Amino acid sequence: MYKIAVLPGDGIGPEVINEGLKVIHKTAEKVGFDYETIFYDFGGERYLEKGGDPLPDSALTEFKEMDAIYLGAVGHPDVKPGVLEHGILLKMRFSLDLYINLRPVKLYPGVWTPIKDKGPEDIDFIVVRENTEDLYVGMGGFFKKGTPDEVAIQQSVNTRKGVERCIRFAYELAMKRKRKKLTLCDKANVLTYAHDLWRRVFNEVGNEYPDVEKDFAFVDATTMWMVKNPEWFDVIVTCNMFGDIITDLGAMIQGGMGVAASGNINPNSVSMFEPIHGSAPKYKGTNTANPIAAICAGGMMLDHLGEKKAAELIDNAVSKALASGKIKDLSAGKMGMTTSEVGDLIASLI
Ligand code: NAD
Ligand code: IPM
Ligand code: MN
């Protein structure tokens, strides 16, 4: 019996999570595993109503007893930017030490990509984003704030331990893939301390993986190659900030924010799964957002739990739904179907 914490969150979060749960339910029936969902209402509405800590420590203690966490999105137009993102999402990533953010960039057959002449055989890689360090640690501060002499400092923290465990995870993942190629995406030509560490660790750990083909790409060039020659990539490993940025680009080349899923992973403890998109407030309650990213995140969650057959069923059902031509466009409001109809379609294909 798996215990899954469900945080639908804000905006379109509840709508897309609903469809993800619908598909998980159907899959569980088919494969025959049991699970229990425990719902939490953390998000903008609750914060506006009750105030206080957007995600109390007691909830984190409960999450540690669960098998997985399934999150919609956080971010509310009436709450100051950063309060919920830091208070809920980043707090979870940091406190639960979810040090890997795994983000597949996979173009399914039949899905439109803005890149001319590229197809599913060209766009199939995965980004391993470091998830607990870098500019995200919240270190820094203001000096003479609000004056003409104001200084703002935001520090990027890169530890040997943090970099090494991320790079090692990426090598292990590369070993499991057919192509076994790992690209380090960095900015070692400018960040001569932080990314010197990344390069040294990449090479040192790489000695233990002679079967993995190693490559380097500066982050600016990475964005160029992702558009020009996406087929060069198999596994990309990168720091937190760059991983955030390049995976929105990755989402667009795989069909859009509506289909890009992610896993926030602690290999030794509970992990969290979510679409990479946010709460898209303007589509809230319209039943027009694409639930596929959330459904795929559900698939990643089951895969992580060891339910390989279930994950495969979800992947195949998503693939069939996308190839069927029934979903006209993957953008919100243009699908020719509602959020729940897309969920029904995928559930029917399980
Ligand atoms: P967003 O991802 O919420 O939306 C940007 C655009 O992407 C939308 O306007 C829409 O066109 C498209 N989009 C997003 N989800 C979609 C879906 N399921 N189907 C179809 N199209 C979709 O990003 P934003 O507007 O920059 O941020 C909105 C709020 O969400 C902010 O508060 C932000 O901080 C937060 N956010 C949260 C997360 C998270 O919880 N993991 C991630 C990113 C942003
Ligand atoms: C993401 C989001 C978050 C990030 C924000 C909402 C804190 O953009 O999951 O990609 O920057 O990591
Ligand atoms: Mn992002």
Side-chain angles (χ1 to χ4, degrees), residues 93 103 129 136 243-245 247-248 257 276:
R93 289 179 184 166
R103 299 189 156 186
R129 167 186 177 191
Y136 278 76
D244 178 44
I245 298 166
T247 52
D248 264 32
M257 297 304 284
I276 85 161

Side-chain angles (χ1 to χ4, degrees), residues 60 91 110 150 167 172 188 300 334 345:
L60 289 168
K91 183 170 180 180
E150 175 160 359
I167 285 177
E172 288 291 331
M300 287 179 79
K334 294 188 184 156
L345 172 64

Side-chain angles (χ1 to χ4, degrees), residues 2 22-35 298-299 302-303 305-317 347 349-350:
Y2 299 116
K22 191 186 274 176
V23 172
I24 289 171
H25 179 74
K26 192 71 191 288
T27 310
E29 269 181 3
K30 196 89 184 173
V31 179
F33 63 84
D34 289 327
Y35 67 101
L302 295 181
D303 185 67
L305 289 172
E307 295 295 335
K308 304 289 169 193
K309 175 83 192 142
E312 209 176 291
L313 277 178
I314 294 180
D315 194 57
N316 287 338
L349 292 167
I350 293 290

Side-chain angles (χ1 to χ4, degrees), residues 15 18-19 22 287-289 291 335 337-347:
E15 292 159 66
N18 220 6
E19 302 315 307
K22 191 186 274 176
N287 204 15
T288 58
M335 297 190 293
M337 292 174 100
T338 61
T339 306
S340 27
E341 282 167 351
V342 173
D344 289 340
L345 172 64
I346 294 171

Side-chain angles (χ1 to χ4, degrees), residues 12 73-75 85 89 257-258 274 276-283 290 332:
I12 60 170
V74 298
E85 292 83 347
L89 185 64
M257 297 304 284
E274 54 167 348
I276 85 161
H277 64 70
S279 56
K282 70 177 171 193
Y283 297 109
N290 192 333

